[in-house]
Amino acid sequence: MSGSAEDERLRVQQLRALRRRWLRDQELSPREPILPPRKLGPVAAFWERFLQPGEPWRQQVHKAYQGGRFLILRVLLPAWAITYYLKYHLRKSPHGVVMTNPRILPGDRILETGEIMPPLKEDPHGHH
């Protein structure tokens, strides 16, 4: 009986040593990870150079973005909101809103042309 317990102890000791070695192998050295050099295509290389901090084009794009953002958020949207409110909520007769034309009945005079509206033709089928 004592032989199998010693074998079991030896096996457990070997497993522990293997685990410790495996865990030590998982630690990265200062030289790792070793990555292959990146080969960039023409578009990716352009963006890599373009997006470097401190580049003048990057600063110009940032200024244009900030200016556009200011224009949209501080000028265009408030102007649109004010115009919408004035046009549809404040005026009695809104500008630019299509109103229905007055009814023209037979015998009425059309204002634009001055002609008189002829009477409607009788419907021979009469299904009303």
Side-chain angles (χ1 to χ4, degrees), residues 22 73 75-76 79 85 90 96:
W22 183 83
L73 292 178
V75 177
L76 293 179
Y85 180 75
L90 208 55

Side-chain angles (χ1 to χ4, degrees), residues 40-71:
L40 300 174
V43 175
F46 166 77
W47 283 112
E48 187 76 21
R49 288 188 311 273
F50 183 76
L51 296 176
Q52 291 296 318
E55 289 292 318
W57 279 108
R58 184 175 177 174
Q59 293 169 357
Q60 293 298 324
V61 168
H62 181 70
K63 285 180 187 177
Y65 167 75
Q66 291 296 333
R69 184 174 170 213
F70 176 83
L71 180 71

Side-chain angles (χ1 to χ4, degrees), residues 27-35:
E27 295 174 5
L28 295 178
S29 75
R31 300 181 303 125
E32 292 179 316
I34 300 172
L35 300 173

Side-chain angles (χ1 to χ4, degrees), residues 64-98:
Y65 167 75
Q66 291 296 333
R69 184 174 170 213
F70 176 83
L71 180 71
I72 289 174
L73 292 178
R74 305 290 170 113
V75 177
L76 293 179
L77 283 178
W80 173 80
I82 290 168
T83 304
Y84 181 86
Y85 180 75
L86 291 174
K87 184 175 181 180
Y88 293 109
H89 297 285
L90 208 55
R91 286 186 174 178
K92 296 294 180 201
S93 62
H95 177 269
V97 176
V98 176

